[in-house]
């Protein structure tokens, strides 16, 4: 089989040359029109909820703001991990979603809940959807 290919190639040089040229043109076209991600995004899709609770100590922020937000977010679909941090007058909750996510649908499962949970503390959460380089703020501010 290999001997026949070599024999055909040696006796039909023009056909081999044209096929090689067509393959080079197709390869060059493909190389220039292929999207290449040199540094792929390895981070899990994350929703960040930042809440201000002015005038509260870290313990109060944790009890009245952060814990209710975490509880509400844990009920959303496909939540992989929830982390939080509370400081004086400020709370941050990170919600990791599995890959591939539909960030808007999954974050929408918790969009209305945290505000209702935080009324007692008079705090308004801000929800950010982080997808690679695109940031989207759900509350429109």
């Amino acid at each position: 089989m290999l001997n026949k290919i070599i024999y055909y190639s040696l006796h039909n040089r023009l056909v081999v040359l044209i096929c090689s040229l067509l393959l080079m043109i197709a390869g060059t076209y493909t190389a220039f029109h292929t999207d290449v991600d040199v540094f792929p995004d390895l981070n899990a899709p994350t929703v960040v909820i930042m809440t201000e609770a002015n005038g509260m100590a870290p313990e109060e922020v944790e009890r009245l703001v952060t814990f209710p937000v975490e509880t509400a977010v844990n009920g959303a679909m496909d939540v992989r991990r929830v982390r939080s941090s509370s400081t004086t007058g400020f709370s941050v909750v990170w919600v990791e979603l599995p890959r591939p996510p539909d960030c808007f649908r999954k974050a929408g499962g918790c969009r209305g809940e945290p505000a209702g949970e935080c009324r007692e503390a008079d705090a308004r959460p801000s929800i950010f959807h982080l997808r690679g380089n695109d940031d989207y703020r759900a509350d429109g501010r």
Side-chain angles (χ1 to χ4, degrees):
M1 176 72 180
L2 187 59
N3 286 336
K4 289 182 183 180
I5 293 173
I6 294 171
Y7 178 81
Y8 180 80
S9 299
L10 290 174
H11 291 297
N12 298 303
R13 292 179 182 165
L14 185 62
V15 173
V16 172
L17 186 65
I18 291 172
C19 288
S20 299
L21 189 63
L22 288 174
L23 281 173
M24 276 191 356
I25 291 171
T28 304
Y29 176 81
T30 303
F32 282 111
H33 288 87
T34 301
D35 293 331
V36 178
D37 195 3
V38 177
F39 300 107
D41 186 19
L42 300 176
N43 296 331
T46 304
V47 176
V48 180
I49 304 170
M50 295 196 267
T51 309
E52 289 183 357
N54 294 328
M56 290 188 179
E59 294 82 13
E60 292 174 323
V61 173
E62 179 72 30
R63 184 172 46 85
L64 296 174
V65 179
T66 306
F67 184 72
V69 170
E70 283 181 344
T71 304
V73 166
N74 272 324
M77 297 181 341
D78 295 334
V79 172
R80 194 171 86 180
R81 180 169 57 174
V82 177
R83 296 177 302 144
S84 66
S85 175
S86 299
T87 61
T88 305
F90 194 70
S91 167
V92 180
V93 178
W94 294 274
V95 182
E96 286 187 16
L97 304 172
R99 199 177 293 253
D102 179 5
C103 285
F104 298 107
R105 181 176 59 86
K106 293 203 179 9
C110 65
R111 184 175 295 154
E113 296 174 16
E117 295 286 337
C118 296
R119 271 195 207 121
E120 177 185 345
D122 193 32
R124 291 183 48 100
S126 297
I127 301 176
F128 290 86
H129 305 278
L130 302 180
R131 298 179 302 132
N133 294 331
D134 300 331
D135 294 347
Y136 171 75
R137 191 164 175 170
D139 62 359
R141 290 190 274 162

Short mmCIF file of all heavy atoms in Angstrom, two decimals, residues 56 63-64 115-123:
data_model
loop_
_atom_site.label_atom_id
_atom_site.label_comp_id
_atom_site.label_asym_id
_atom_site.label_seq_id
_atom_site.Cartn_x
_atom_site.Cartn_y
_atom_site.Cartn_z
N MET A 56 -22.93 49.06 62.30
CA MET A 56 -23.01 47.77 62.99
C MET A 56 -21.63 47.20 63.25
O MET A 56 -20.72 47.36 62.45
CB MET A 56 -23.82 46.77 62.17
CG MET A 56 -25.26 47.04 62.07
SD MET A 56 -26.07 45.65 61.28
CE MET A 56 -27.75 46.19 61.32
N ARG A 63 -24.56 38.27 62.27
CA ARG A 63 -25.82 37.70 62.75
C ARG A 63 -27.03 38.22 61.97
O ARG A 63 -27.92 37.45 61.61
CB ARG A 63 -25.98 37.99 64.24
CG ARG A 63 -27.21 37.36 64.87
CD ARG A 63 -27.23 37.52 66.38
NE ARG A 63 -26.92 38.87 66.84
CZ ARG A 63 -27.82 39.85 66.95
NH1 ARG A 63 -29.06 39.64 66.62
NH2 ARG A 63 -27.45 41.04 67.40
N LEU A 64 -27.07 39.53 61.69
CA LEU A 64 -28.27 40.14 61.10
C LEU A 64 -28.24 40.23 59.58
O LEU A 64 -29.29 40.38 58.96
CB LEU A 64 -28.48 41.54 61.68
CG LEU A 64 -28.77 41.59 63.17
CD1 LEU A 64 -28.80 43.04 63.65
CD2 LEU A 64 -30.06 40.88 63.50
N ALA A 115 -32.68 40.67 49.91
CA ALA A 115 -33.23 41.96 50.32
C ALA A 115 -34.34 41.76 51.35
O ALA A 115 -34.46 42.51 52.31
CB ALA A 115 -33.75 42.73 49.11
N GLY A 116 -35.16 40.72 51.16
CA GLY A 116 -36.21 40.44 52.11
C GLY A 116 -35.66 40.00 53.45
O GLY A 116 -36.20 40.32 54.50
N GLU A 117 -34.56 39.26 53.43
CA GLU A 117 -33.96 38.77 54.66
C GLU A 117 -33.26 39.89 55.43
O GLU A 117 -33.11 39.80 56.63
CB GLU A 117 -32.93 37.67 54.34
CG GLU A 117 -33.54 36.42 53.74
CD GLU A 117 -34.29 35.59 54.76
OE1 GLU A 117 -33.99 35.71 55.95
OE2 GLU A 117 -35.19 34.84 54.35
N CYS A 118 -32.83 40.94 54.75
CA CYS A 118 -32.01 41.98 55.39
C CYS A 118 -32.81 43.19 55.82
O CYS A 118 -32.23 44.16 56.26
CB CYS A 118 -30.90 42.44 54.43
SG CYS A 118 -29.74 41.14 54.05
N ARG A 119 -34.12 43.16 55.70
CA ARG A 119 -34.91 44.33 56.08
C ARG A 119 -34.72 44.70 57.54
O ARG A 119 -34.71 45.86 57.90
CB ARG A 119 -36.38 44.09 55.79
CG ARG A 119 -36.73 44.49 54.40
CD ARG A 119 -38.21 44.62 54.17
NE ARG A 119 -38.40 44.37 52.76
CZ ARG A 119 -39.16 43.43 52.27
NH1 ARG A 119 -39.85 42.66 53.06
NH2 ARG A 119 -39.25 43.27 50.98
N GLU A 120 -34.59 43.69 58.39
CA GLU A 120 -34.43 43.94 59.82
C GLU A 120 -33.16 44.76 60.09
O GLU A 120 -33.15 45.63 60.94
CB GLU A 120 -34.34 42.60 60.57
CG GLU A 120 -34.11 42.75 62.05
CD GLU A 120 -33.91 41.39 62.70
OE1 GLU A 120 -34.22 40.36 62.10
OE2 GLU A 120 -33.42 41.39 63.84
N ALA A 121 -32.11 44.50 59.31
CA ALA A 121 -30.84 45.20 59.52
C ALA A 121 -30.75 46.47 58.69
O ALA A 121 -29.74 47.16 58.75
CB ALA A 121 -29.68 44.28 59.16
N ASP A 122 -31.77 46.79 57.89
CA ASP A 122 -31.77 47.97 57.04
C ASP A 122 -30.56 48.00 56.12
O ASP A 122 -29.83 48.97 56.05
CB ASP A 122 -31.84 49.25 57.89
CG ASP A 122 -32.16 50.46 57.01
OD1 ASP A 122 -32.88 50.28 56.01
OD2 ASP A 122 -31.69 51.56 57.33
N ALA A 123 -30.33 46.88 55.43
CA ALA A 123 -29.19 46.76 54.52
C ALA A 123 -29.69 46.35 53.15
O ALA A 123 -30.67 45.62 53.04
CB ALA A 123 -28.21 45.72 55.05
#
